[in-house]
Amino acid sequence: MSVLDLARAELRGIRPYVPGAYEPGMIRLNANESPWRSLGDTSERGLNVYPPPRPTVLQVKLADYYGIEQKQILVTRGSSEAIDVLIRGFCTAGKDKILICPPTFDMYRLYASIQNAGIVRVPLLAERDFALDVDGILKALDANTKIVFICSPNNPTGQSMARADIERICSETAGRALVVIDEAYHEYASGGHYLDLRNRYEHVVLLRTLSKFVSLAGVRCGLIVGAPELIEFAQVVLPPYTFPTPSIELVQETLSQDSLRVSEERVATIKRERERLASALRDVPCVVKVFSSDANFIMVKTRNGQEFRETARRAGILVRTFEDPLLADCVRITIGRPADNDQLLKAVSGVERTSHA
Ligand SMILES: Cc1ncc(COP(=O)(O)O)c(C=O)c1O
């Protein structure tokens, strides 16, 4: 059985768009572009010409950085677009479903709703520090459940899911559903990643993003890591020319050795600050619980979430609260620079603390 047997049948035979060829050094009268650059266009390629249909140069660099074969990667506009592409590719509107484990990243729900796909919810086990309910997930699957989304480390709760749980889900869903493991925060985690599962199972897909650890949320660059035939199929769903030239050139710079070294140092700082903030928040009287985190944020349960948020706001800091009853009075705090974290601690505890950073 091929993983594409799970995909929307009517998409499997679609003929992809054939873009006009781009050959450096040739006069380009084949794509109805302007022959002149606009004023202020300092890009290397020139913004008067279309970007390449796919940012192949980035796919080569990212494949090298992550140690993955290039044919297993598709670059998307943020991993958000990757979620959309997978749902549109695998869920027939009004018939198929995705399975999610709330509280989790809300975009899975949003894109499923846009596609008119059903949403099966198997909540994380709050009493077990938001672990996966593996039996519940396996029981809830049926022939129309096409994608199981697992977010690890999970947003907004922060924990990595237990590897044994993910392995069991992957082994028991083979041939039944895609398992999409969203690794948006894996660079901040102490445990490993799931590339080995991706390589072992055709139906396992990973999502990665450059929005967090290399500081490029504004550029919108993410990727799908999947079996080569799934990547080929995803290219039918994702139209050509979606990734703009300035983004390509910027990401290329960010993937230089010097830039990556800085990003890695920053990740180390965020991890140190996460532990410092967590430990200080445990002493704050209005904080009931500080959840463990493997991400660049911490979730805390407070006596009164709104009050906590407003106290932070009066000190010039925005933090996130939630409407989900599972997260009543919980607040998600992104780890900032040491001075930002000091300011938050001072605001919510009234006690001055300094990071000495
Ligand atoms: C778990 C998770 N996945 C995916 C994303 C989307 O990231 P982006 O579209 O910026 O790559 C986010 C953003 O916060 C996230 O928290």
Side-chain angles (χ1 to χ4, degrees):
M1 183 188 171
S2 152
V3 67
L4 295 191
D5 291 340
L6 297 166
R8 280 171 55 197
E10 70 277 21
L11 294 186
R12 280 183 242 149
I14 282 193
R15 192 166 41 86
Y17 176 74
V18 181
Y22 180 89
E23 293 181 34
M26 300 291 279
I27 296 170
R28 212 169 130 87
L29 302 183
N30 62 344
N32 301 350
E33 298 149 334
S34 164
W36 300 286
R37 284 177 178 244
S38 72
L39 297 183
D41 176 358
T42 55
S43 68
E44 203 182 315
R45 181 183 175 94
L47 301 180
N48 53 318
V49 299
Y50 283 98
R54 297 276 174 240
T56 315
V57 60
L58 295 189
Q59 295 190 179
V60 170
K61 274 191 184 267
L62 286 165
D64 182 50
Y65 179 69
Y66 285 125
I68 306 170
E69 290 171 301
Q70 202 198 319
K71 59 185 180 194
Q72 291 202 37
I73 286 182
L74 179 63
V75 171
T76 51
R77 285 167 297 182
S79 50
S80 306
E81 184 176 57
I83 296 165
D84 182 36
V85 164
L86 291 168
I87 292 178
R88 279 193 291 125
F90 284 81
C91 294
T92 298
K95 175 172 167 244
D96 293 328
K97 298 177 270 190
I98 66 163
L99 186 151
I100 59 174
C101 303
T104 194
F105 187 46
D106 200 39
M107 291 282 213
Y108 313 134
R109 172 200 62 80
L110 178 72
Y111 283 120
S113 304
I114 292 169
Q115 176 63 7
N116 191 21
I119 302 168
V120 179
R121 292 177 172 83
V122 181
L124 295 171
L125 301 168
E127 67 284 6
R128 281 186 42 213
D129 250 348
F130 296 107
L132 289 163
D133 176 2
V134 180
D135 290 328
I137 291 171
L138 296 174
K139 221 182 286 165
L141 286 181
D142 67 20
N144 293 117
T145 318
K146 292 297 181 68
I147 309 181
V148 176
F149 280 98
I150 296 174
C151 189
S152 181
N154 185 44
N155 178 11
T157 57
Q159 307 77 15
S160 291
M161 299 301 147
R163 193 180 169 89
D165 287 349
I166 295 190
E167 289 212 27
R168 196 175 142 219
I169 292 168
C170 292
S171 83
E172 298 202 19
T173 50
R176 298 168 68 193
L178 283 193
V179 177
V180 176
I181 309 175
D182 186 339
E183 296 190 315
Y185 299 97
H186 95 271
E187 287 85 359
Y188 301 97
S190 38
H193 46 66
Y194 293 100
L195 269 179
D196 58 320
L197 292 182
R198 157 71 292 284
N199 288 326
R200 204 177 329 149
Y201 295 109
E202 281 267 288
H203 68 297
V204 172
V205 179
L206 309 181
L207 303 183
R208 299 251 169 119
T209 179
L210 301 194
S211 291
K212 318 289 175 184
F213 82 111
V214 287
S215 316
L216 285 188
V219 164
R220 313 305 301 121
C221 183
L223 49 151
I224 304 179
V225 184
E229 64 175 338
L230 179 132
I231 294 297
E232 221 171 275
F233 170 72
Q235 313 223 32
V236 172
V237 183
L238 180 70
Y241 301 116
T242 50
F243 207 81
T245 299
S247 301
I248 296 176
E249 295 184 2
L250 223 137
V251 173
Q252 263 184 287
E253 270 171 46
T254 307
L255 294 177
S256 70
Q257 286 307 319
D258 282 352
S259 179
L260 282 170
R261 204 168 312 115
V262 171
S263 295
E264 278 159 20
E265 281 163 16
R266 289 175 173 173
V267 169
T269 302
I270 293 290
K271 286 163 101 173
R272 266 197 313 277
E273 280 295 294
R274 179 178 72 201
E275 300 324 309
R276 182 176 77 89
L277 193 60
S279 140
L281 283 166
R282 281 189 193 100
D283 294 336
V284 172
C286 63
V287 171
V288 177
K289 178 166 182 172
V290 179
F291 291 90
S292 64
S293 172
D294 255 350
N296 67 342
F297 56 84
I298 309 180
M299 194 175 77
V300 292
K301 176 130 179 117
T302 66
R303 294 198 196 289
N304 184 324
Q306 275 191 19
E307 224 170 75
F308 188 102
R309 189 190 62 207
E310 289 312 309
T311 304
R313 192 184 174 83
R314 281 195 293 278
I317 300 166
L318 302 175
V319 292
R320 183 88 181 246
T321 50
F322 304 90
E323 279 169 19
D324 185 338
L326 284 172
L327 298 177
D329 291 318
C330 287
V331 180
R332 193 190 65 194
I333 304 164
T334 304
I335 313 298
R337 293 167 297 187
D340 304 331
N341 305 329
D342 287 340
Q343 198 168 322
L344 175 86
L345 284 170
K346 185 175 167 210
V348 298
S349 63
V351 179
E352 190 113 19
R353 288 170 220 251
T354 38
S355 55
H356 306 295

